[in-house]
Amino acid sequence: MTTRGTADGRTPLARIGAEDVVDAAQEPAGPQGRQPAVDAQAPDAVEAAAPGTGAPAEEVDGEEAGGSGGEEPAAARAAEKLDRPLPEGVRRRVVGLAADALGGLPVAELPQTLRPYAKFTPARRAKYAATALAAALESEPAFRVRIAERLRLGQPDLVRALESGTVPGAADPMDVAAAAYLVRSAGWSRLVVEAGEEAERAGAEGAAAEAARLAEKLQAELAEVRAAARADLDRQRAESEDVRKEVESLRKKVRSLESDTRRAQAETRRVTGELEALKAQTGVERGAAESEARRLRHRISELENAAEQGRRSAREGRSVEDMRLRLLLDTVLQSAQGLQRELALPVSQIRPADLVEAVVPGSASPHDVARRGLAEDDPALLDQLLAIPQVHLVVDGYNVTKTGYPALPLEQQRIRLLGGLAMLAQRTQAEVTCVFDGQDLDVPVILAPPRGVRVRFSRTGETADELIRRLVRAEPQGRPVVVVSTDREVAEGVRKAGARPVASVLLLNRLARP
């Protein structure tokens, strides 16, 4: 229901004559003990004038003019105001009640400031619209009356008790104060003030209890700190005693070491004297040894001369023995030649070097190419591998394209790679198979493979790596197969199957070369 208010936002009571006040007071109460409300939209209410004044009467809000229970005029309750700000606890309780009730009111009947929050949940309204709700409840009596009516439906016993002038003894003071603020029953300001004082007393008592608990805690911590300090002092005293004893022990060790040092110096002087004596004795023995060496060298010269004379005598006697050996050797050679003619043995075509395992140039496998001479990313390595007869080049398509040009769309990646492979197959005459992962395809691919390049996509549920391993296993044992992929698992798998894995960058470097 919409009413016209004064400039300060409040809806004033209608100005009526004394006779009308008496008649309205004596008129029987309406349903639920409330006096019938004056419809603010009725034409008679809008055009009514006070007797003898000639001034138009202001519209009357039906819910404000009706009062609560008919016990006290609405004008008297409206004149009742708070002489202090609304206590914080009561304000939060009032805002919470208004936030809960706001969702049940039509948006058209809400104040303009609260309409943006109409679709919020009660918790969000209480959080983000608290200030707007409090201001609307204070400045919009019609809105406050609607919230009071929602409270009447939710807590009828509390509202009836307040309207009858009694306060439930078991009720929460905050609930009583919030309901009194909304309903504006007789003495509502006193209830609000008492609730605030009660909350302040409870807060003061809680603060006093917390201070007492904190004081007890601090006293306990002080006692613990004192006990720890005493224990630390005792420990430091014990450590000082230990240090004193250790210092005394170290002093004894120092004195012992000084005594040992003096003994060692005396022993050193004694050893030095003995060493000088040994040096003198060694000099004498060295002279005797030199004399003996000179004698031995003279004796060696004599023996060498005697040996040379013996060798000359031996050479003179070997001529007869040499003749006998020559005759025996000729006899053995003639016997061997006769045996060869008798057995008719063919001329041998195998030599010992033929039995040594090595790689024959014409039968080299991909694993024997460029073991040491070329780097793994040198395009010349791929040229050597593709020069092997009957070689089969298997390419992991997306692994190569996403290494070389990952920014292109998948279709452009395939077209660019297949064009390069077609030129490579035409130059090398090698069998080329390019494998793509079929799991990335949303629709069937319409693709015309270039001449000399076989294009395959993996089936659903199968990766390109698995398809490459199946292609390698399908080749006969001994056929050279080269697999281009940077994937370590693919490289290990095809290597075990007998193929030669190479990195994707090697193929990219080869395709980039003219």
Side-chain angles (χ1 to χ4, degrees):
M1 178 172 55
T2 306
T3 61
R4 291 201 302 270
T6 58
D8 60 355
R10 296 183 179 273
T11 305
L13 297 174
R15 293 193 296 270
I16 57 179
E19 293 85 2
D20 296 333
V21 173
V22 174
D23 293 341
Q26 292 176 354
E27 185 177 358
Q32 298 181 355
R34 297 173 51 87
Q35 294 186 7
V38 179
D39 190 351
Q41 303 296 332
D44 296 339
V46 175
E47 301 298 335
T53 61
E58 296 179 0
E59 294 183 5
V60 181
D61 191 325
E63 294 176 354
E64 282 292 311
S68 299
E71 295 180 359
E72 185 179 357
R77 294 196 305 273
E80 187 175 353
K81 296 182 179 179
L82 292 173
D83 57 354
R84 65 180 67 181
L86 192 65
E88 182 61 24
V90 178
R91 189 187 73 84
R92 286 198 300 269
R93 197 67 55 89
V94 168
V95 170
L97 293 174
D100 292 338
L102 189 64
L105 297 178
V107 178
E109 297 181 4
L110 296 178
Q112 191 67 27
T113 58
L114 297 180
R115 291 181 182 179
Y117 307 102
K119 294 183 179 181
F120 283 25
T121 60
R124 294 190 65 195
R125 283 196 291 267
K127 180 178 180 181
Y128 297 107
T131 303
L133 285 170
L137 290 172
E138 183 65 25
S139 61
E140 299 286 345
F143 174 65
R144 177 181 53 75
V145 169
R146 292 186 183 91
I147 300 300
E149 289 300 327
R150 301 290 295 187
L151 177 64
R152 186 187 304 278
L153 296 177
Q155 302 182 23
D157 297 336
L158 178 59
V159 174
R160 282 197 296 270
L162 291 174
E163 290 177 345
S164 62
T166 61
V167 178
D172 187 353
M174 291 297 177
D175 292 339
V176 174
Y181 176 79
L182 294 174
V183 177
R184 299 294 174 94
S185 59
W188 66 272
S189 60
R190 176 180 54 81
L191 293 176
V192 172
V193 172
E194 290 177 354
E197 293 175 352
E198 181 66 23
E200 291 178 358
R201 286 195 298 272
E205 292 175 357
E210 180 65 19
R213 186 188 63 79
L214 182 60
E216 293 178 356
K217 181 180 179 182
L218 292 175
Q219 288 178 357
E221 291 179 356
L222 180 59
E224 292 178 358
V225 170
R226 287 177 176 174
R230 287 194 295 270
D232 191 23
L233 182 59
D234 295 340
R235 181 178 58 79
Q236 291 180 357
R237 288 176 179 174
E239 290 179 355
S240 299
E241 183 65 21
D242 293 340
V243 170
R244 188 186 62 78
K245 293 180 179 179
E246 186 176 358
V247 168
E248 185 65 25
S249 175
L250 290 175
R251 287 176 179 173
K252 293 180 180 179
K253 290 182 179 179
V254 168
R255 289 193 292 269
S256 177
L257 290 175
E258 290 176 351
S259 177
D260 294 341
T261 302
R262 288 192 292 271
R263 287 196 297 271
Q265 291 174 351
E267 183 68 19
T268 301
R269 288 192 294 270
R270 184 184 65 80
V271 170
T272 302
E274 293 179 356
L275 181 59
E276 293 296 334
L278 288 175
K279 286 181 178 181
Q281 183 178 359
T282 302
V284 175
E285 292 177 354
R286 180 182 300 170
E290 291 177 354
S291 300
E292 182 66 18
R294 287 192 295 272
R295 187 185 66 80
L296 291 175
R297 282 196 293 271
H298 179 68
R299 178 60 179 166
I300 290 172
S301 300
E302 293 178 352
L303 293 175
E304 288 177 350
N305 294 331
E308 182 63 26
Q309 293 177 0
R311 282 195 294 274
R312 285 196 297 268
S313 299
R315 283 196 298 271
E316 293 175 356
R318 277 186 59 186
S319 58
V320 178
E321 297 295 332
D322 291 342
M323 182 185 61
R324 291 178 180 178
L325 289 175
R326 178 68 183 182
L327 180 61
L328 179 59
L329 179 59
D330 292 341
T331 303
V332 171
L333 289 176
Q334 291 176 4
S335 299
Q337 291 175 358
L339 183 62
Q340 182 179 4
R341 287 192 300 271
E342 183 177 354
L343 295 178
L345 294 176
V347 179
S348 177
Q349 301 296 329
I350 300 176
R351 297 292 182 268
D354 296 331
L355 302 178
V356 178
E357 293 184 359
V359 177
V360 180
S363 60
S365 68
H367 296 284
D368 302 319
V369 175
R371 288 289 182 120
R372 299 182 181 87
L374 298 175
E376 289 295 330
D377 57 351
D378 191 345
L381 174 60
L382 187 59
D383 291 337
Q384 292 186 9
L385 293 173
L386 297 181
I388 299 175
Q390 299 298 322
V391 66
H392 185 187
L393 179 65
V394 181
V395 180
D396 188 350
Y398 287 142
N399 186 276
V400 175
T401 60
K402 291 180 180 180
T403 301
Y405 26 87
L408 296 178
L410 293 180
E411 181 179 1
Q412 296 297 324
Q413 293 181 14
R414 293 194 294 266
I415 293 174
R416 181 172 177 179
L417 175 62
L418 293 177
L421 291 177
M423 297 178 61
L424 184 64
Q426 183 179 3
R427 292 177 181 177
T428 62
Q429 302 300 319
E431 180 182 357
V432 180
T433 301
C434 187
V435 178
F436 293 103
D437 195 345
Q439 293 183 351
D440 294 337
L441 299 178
D442 298 331
V443 295
V445 177
I446 301 176
L447 180 66
R451 168 175 282 184
V453 180
R454 183 187 297 107
V455 180
R456 293 292 183 268
F457 287 88
S458 61
R459 298 174 299 184
T460 302
E462 182 184 33
T463 63
D465 301 345
E466 297 173 352
L467 178 56
I468 290 173
R469 284 192 284 268
R470 289 200 297 113
L471 287 172
V472 173
R473 289 195 297 268
E475 293 294 339
Q477 187 71 24
R479 184 185 182 184
V481 180
V482 178
V483 178
V484 180
S485 178
T486 310
D487 194 325
R488 183 175 298 178
E489 295 183 0
V490 174
E492 293 297 330
V494 300
R495 183 180 285 108
K496 293 179 181 178
R500 166 69 182 270
V502 296
S504 298
V505 67
L506 179 62
L507 177 60
L508 291 170
N509 293 340
R510 178 60 184 84
L511 295 180
R513 193 183 68 183

